[in-house]
Amino acid sequence: MRKKSAGAAVVALGVAGVTLLGTGTAGSHGYTDSPISRQKLCANGTVTNCGSIQWEPQSVEGPKGFPAAGPADGKICSAGLSQFAQLDDPRGGAWPTTQLTAGQSYSFRWQFTARHRTTDFKYYITKNGWDPSQKLTRAALDPQPFLTVPYNNQQPPATLSHSGTIPAGKTGRHLILAVWTIADTANAFYACSDVKF
Ligand SMILES: [Cu+2]
């Protein structure tokens, strides 16, 4: 009788431990809100029918190493997470846009719910002529990031802004892909922001 109870208790503890670990990992990370990202547009209610991303815009986390590694083409904006596939959906090119000026300085902003040690922040932008009714692919992006902010394994503050120059010569609709690479895990966070020049 006693032995049986002890065994059941161990099993219960094991399950609880796994659950706690899962919640801690999924619950707290970060997203961009300037220019506003698709996940934030879903979280603040501007865009509806977004699925579960509306409850956790900070959780778009996938493998790091973009563009050599990282999420597959067509799944970049969701970091390859099927539960956030709505972020990859171009919605017929109807995502709300932030107006930017090509060649001008801009202040990019992240909001963090967990201040992970950081390798760097990188920002990519689509080529002129990008079709906003298509899912994002590597081929649609300029191959080099237009802004890289090294962070030397430091922890960012809860809100972090850094300025960079928007590439000159951009016209029409574009997508900016922000990538926050974590220093002490195998992961990075991805955020797609629709913009217009
Ligand atoms: Cu995190």
Side-chain angles (χ1 to χ4, degrees):
M1 211 45 183
R2 276 202 172 172
K3 268 195 174 164
K4 200 173 177 185
S5 300
V10 167
V11 169
L13 269 174
V15 170
V18 167
T19 304
L20 278 173
L21 200 69
T23 305
T25 307
S28 33
H29 323 283
Y31 58 86
T32 58
D33 65 350
S34 184
I36 194 165
S37 57
R38 289 180 174 181
Q39 49 262 56
K40 181 59 176 177
L41 285 167
C42 287
N44 73 12
T46 302
V47 174
T48 55
N49 299 317
C50 286
S52 61
I53 190 64
Q54 67 182 300
W55 311 118
E56 46 176 326
Q58 70 275 13
S59 298
V60 187
E61 178 177 25
K64 66 184 180 184
F66 188 88
D73 282 350
K75 298 180 177 179
I76 297 168
C77 295
S78 68
L81 297 172
S82 57
Q83 69 269 33
F84 301 145
Q86 288 89 343
L87 298 174
D88 295 312
D89 180 356
R91 292 183 176 238
W95 282 94
T97 54
T98 298
Q99 184 81 34
L100 298 180
T101 305
Q104 297 279 294
S105 178
Y106 187 83
S107 181
F108 298 87
R109 189 169 65 198
W110 284 84
Q111 302 289 349
F112 301 111
T113 57
R115 298 164 48 231
H116 295 295
R117 292 192 178 281
T118 298
T119 301
D120 58 24
F121 300 89
K122 287 186 176 174
Y123 296 84
Y124 298 83
I125 191 165
T126 47
K127 297 168 180 167
N128 277 341
W130 172 64
D131 181 352
S133 72
Q134 298 299 310
K135 292 181 178 181
L136 184 64
T137 62
R138 286 164 174 74
L141 294 166
D142 287 340
Q144 298 299 326
F146 65 86
L147 174 62
T148 299
V149 181
Y151 221 70
N152 297 317
N153 297 357
Q154 299 301 300
Q155 290 181 275
T159 299
L160 176 67
S161 297
H162 35 237
S163 60
T165 303
I166 306 283
K170 293 292 179 185
T171 56
R173 267 189 87 118
H174 283 271
L175 203 58
I176 288 177
L177 170 68
V179 183
W180 170 33
T181 296
I182 307 305
D184 53 5
T185 78
N187 289 342
F189 290 83
Y190 295 83
C192 286
S193 299
D194 294 82
V195 301
K196 194 176 184 182
F197 294 97

